Amino acid sequence: MIELNKNRGSSNGRTVAFEAINLGPIPSPLANLSNISVARRSLILAFKLKAYYMTYPTVNKSSVLKDVLDKIKQTGIPDKFTNAHMKTIGFSSSNDFPAIAALKFVGFLDGSGVPTQRYKEYRGANGQKILAQGIKEGYSDLFTVYPDADVKDNESLIHFFATKTNVGNVAQKSMVATFKALSSMADFEASGISATADNLLPAIENTSKVAVVKTKSIPSVNINIELQIPPTNDPEVYKNFFEAMKKYLLTD
């Protein structure tokens, strides 16, 4: 049994916080930590739990994501995208601030909140494509299971998050709502990363039509000819043989 109290650690820019959490029996990947001091153990757990229980952004008020992304295009680039910055651009509710975690998850901000190159590129004409790339990268394991995750039904998405996290049903639904809110503002077709059946069908139909035309207009005929040369040490025999092949078989 391990109990942590107000310890915090981070990995790859994603923060894992522990506050009066009784973890119960130690999962096998963590069992070797039982003899480490509590101070060190809490920091190591922050990294190990990140691998054991995947975390995904949950924005309870998912509609705020669209407003925040719109503001990114309309306002300047801050040194750091923090709660204080959000207040300056019109987001003062505590329900708005989780949007920062979502921006980090799709690679718009680094771990300390500094805007990345992707953040800057999103402000350009191809913003929806850039967002789709960030979503694809952040939710890479989801797209591995469902290549068409951006159009997948809620039930399938909830099942995925249930198997990847240890949170309850309410949080799982919030994860789905956050993912869908982000996806609704992205252009997966322009980014070339959505492989739904509807996208693939036209290509298959076009390929079939081309094949039919070629088959009808240009019939294919193959003729196999076998020639044998008797064993000999005379090079003139081979020379004459290949000259005859060139003259009678290899000309148009």
Side-chain angles (χ1 to χ4, degrees):
M1 305 284 284
I2 297 178
E3 184 173 281
L4 301 179
N5 184 36
K6 294 185 179 179
N7 289 305
R8 186 177 289 269
S10 62
S11 174
N12 295 327
R14 299 175 191 172
T15 300
V16 182
F18 307 90
E19 185 171 358
I21 300 175
N22 190 320
L23 298 179
I26 305 173
S28 56
L30 311 177
N32 61 342
L33 300 177
S34 57
N35 295 323
I36 301 176
S37 67
V38 173
R40 290 182 59 201
R41 189 187 310 163
S42 61
L43 182 59
I44 296 173
L45 277 170
F47 287 89
K48 293 215 170 197
L49 278 178
K50 172 65 174 64
Y52 191 76
Y53 290 126
M54 182 64 182
T55 58
Y56 299 89
T58 55
V59 181
N60 293 330
K61 186 182 175 184
S62 57
S63 60
V64 77
L65 288 170
K66 181 181 185 305
D67 297 331
V68 170
L69 287 168
D70 286 343
K71 285 291 186 180
I72 288 177
K73 285 179 173 287
Q74 298 166 6
T75 59
I77 302 174
D79 293 332
K80 282 191 176 183
F81 201 103
T82 61
N83 292 356
H85 173 70
M86 288 195 68
K87 290 179 180 179
T88 65
I89 59 176
F91 302 96
S92 57
S93 170
S94 59
N95 289 327
D96 300 336
F97 300 150
I100 294 177
L103 293 177
K104 290 181 179 180
F105 197 81
V106 297
F108 278 34
L109 307 174
D110 68 13
S112 60
V114 175
T116 63
Q117 182 61 31
R118 179 172 290 161
Y119 179 107
K120 298 171 184 177
E121 291 177 358
Y122 175 75
R123 291 159 47 83
N126 296 320
Q128 290 181 308
K129 174 182 176 181
I130 297 301
L131 177 57
Q133 292 172 349
I135 294 171
K136 179 75 172 180
E137 182 180 297
Y139 292 91
S140 59
D141 49 348
L142 172 58
F143 280 89
T144 298
V145 177
Y146 299 122
D148 60 343
D150 53 299
V151 294
K152 206 67 180 173
D153 60 274
N154 284 2
E155 184 178 354
S156 298
L157 295 176
I158 289 175
H159 174 73
F160 171 84
F161 290 121
T163 62
K164 292 292 184 177
T165 69
N166 64 334
V167 299
N169 186 252
V170 173
Q172 292 164 14
K173 289 181 178 179
S174 182
M175 289 176 180
V176 171
T178 301
F179 170 73
K180 288 210 156 189
L182 288 168
S183 298
S184 69
M185 294 173 281
D187 188 347
F188 289 88
E189 291 185 4
S191 66
I193 57 178
S194 182
T196 62
D198 291 339
N199 292 335
L200 295 175
L201 186 58
I204 295 173
E205 290 177 345
N206 290 339
T207 303
S208 300
K209 291 177 182 178
V210 172
V212 170
V213 171
K214 288 186 176 181
T215 302
K216 290 182 178 179
S217 60
I218 308 176
S220 177
V221 177
N222 294 319
I223 301 176
N224 297 321
I225 301 176
E226 293 184 5
L227 300 174
Q228 295 183 352
I229 303 175
T232 178
N233 293 325
D234 186 357
E236 286 297 317
V237 173
Y238 293 99
K239 178 181 178 181
N240 293 334
F241 174 80
F242 288 111
E243 286 180 350
M245 284 185 61
K246 180 179 180 181
K247 180 177 180 181
Y248 297 108
L249 297 179
L250 303 182
T251 57
D252 294 331

